[in-house]
Every structure is written in structure tokens, then in C-alpha cells.
Amino acid sequence: MTTLADLTDEYGFLDADDRYRLLIDLGRELEPMPEALKTDATLVRGCSASVWVYPTVRDDGTLHFLADSNAAITKGIIALVLLTVQDRTPADIRATDIETTLAPFDLKNQLSSNRTQGIPNMIALIRETAERYA
């Protein structure tokens, strides 16, 4: 899997169209989320596209998130967010400043407001999950 540092370096050299392609490719790499988990309970509110996030706790206490979207670019944004927290302990996730980590991608200026409006809600859901399991 691609690391966040590798993506940050690559993203900085790309033009707008290639950045979209990179996000779409990143979304394609997401672990498949079973259809049965795409319910109203896992739906992230406030997103223009449908976004589902389902947390699981691994035997070692780390959190693993399954996520999906019905929009390719949004799915890529989800994958980008998950790269900051995937398979980490609740304490690590709580200590991570996700917004600052994602700042080099400048998503608010690179994408339409419709594409980015749900990001804070997605991040809030991840933080709430980490709080619950901490």
C-alpha cells in the first residue's frame, strides 16, 4: 500500500487532472466493504455523495476501518483520510491531527466544496470511534 509520505510527494508535482486521477486510483485500492455493512447506521452524514464507514477492532487493539462511497473521487478522499489512521491504536488516532496531516493535499482548494464538505464529518466519526475504544 502507498504511504502518506509517498503520496504527499507525488501529489505536489501533479496538475489538477492528474490529482483527480491519483485520488480515483487511491479509492480503487480501498479494501472492499461488504454491501451488508452499507446501512443507515454506517452512513456519514453531510456528504454530497454516499459515504459509509464501519470500524472494527483487531485482536491487537488497533482500529481498522472499512469504507466506501458511490463517487470515485470521494472514495479516493476516504482512502486518503484512512491512510492517516488505519490500523492504529485508539490513543494514536486521538493524538493524530488528521487535518494538519492532510493539509499538503490542499483538498479545499483542489476540489469543489461538494466534494470536501463531508470530510470534517468523516474525521469526526473516526475521532468519536477512537474515543469510544480508548
Side-chain angles (χ1 to χ4, degrees):
M1 182 181 234
T2 306
T3 68
L4 197 57
D6 291 340
L7 277 176
T8 303
D9 291 342
E10 183 178 352
Y11 197 81
F13 290 106
L14 300 175
D15 64 25
D17 287 342
D18 287 335
R19 287 178 175 181
Y20 278 118
R21 282 197 250 337
L22 179 96
L23 287 173
I24 291 168
D25 289 345
L26 192 59
R28 287 183 182 137
E29 293 175 16
L30 270 179
E31 178 180 352
M33 182 178 190
E35 290 298 318
L37 296 178
K38 296 176 188 176
T39 66
D40 194 53
T42 61
L43 188 67
V44 177
R45 307 287 180 231
C47 296
S48 59
S50 295
V51 174
W52 300 271
V53 177
Y54 183 80
T56 60
V57 180
R58 299 218 162 164
D59 290 340
D60 62 1
T62 59
L63 292 176
H64 184 80
F65 296 89
L66 296 174
D68 200 1
S69 176
N70 63 346
I73 291 173
T74 303
K75 194 170 177 173
I77 294 168
I78 294 166
L80 195 58
V81 171
L82 290 184
L83 278 174
T84 69
V85 298
Q86 193 69 290
D87 299 328
R88 295 178 61 193
T89 66
D92 285 345
I93 293 170
R94 289 173 58 207
T96 299
D97 185 343
I98 299 169
E99 294 87 351
T100 299
T101 304
L102 295 177
F105 295 94
D106 195 25
L107 294 173
K108 288 189 180 193
N109 291 319
Q110 301 296 325
L111 304 169
S112 69
S113 61
N114 282 351
R115 296 266 184 233
T116 58
Q117 68 187 11
I119 295 172
N121 296 352
M122 196 182 330
I123 291 170
L125 178 92
I126 289 167
R127 283 194 177 118
E128 289 166 10
T129 302
E131 288 289 331
R132 255 193 340 265
Y133 289 102

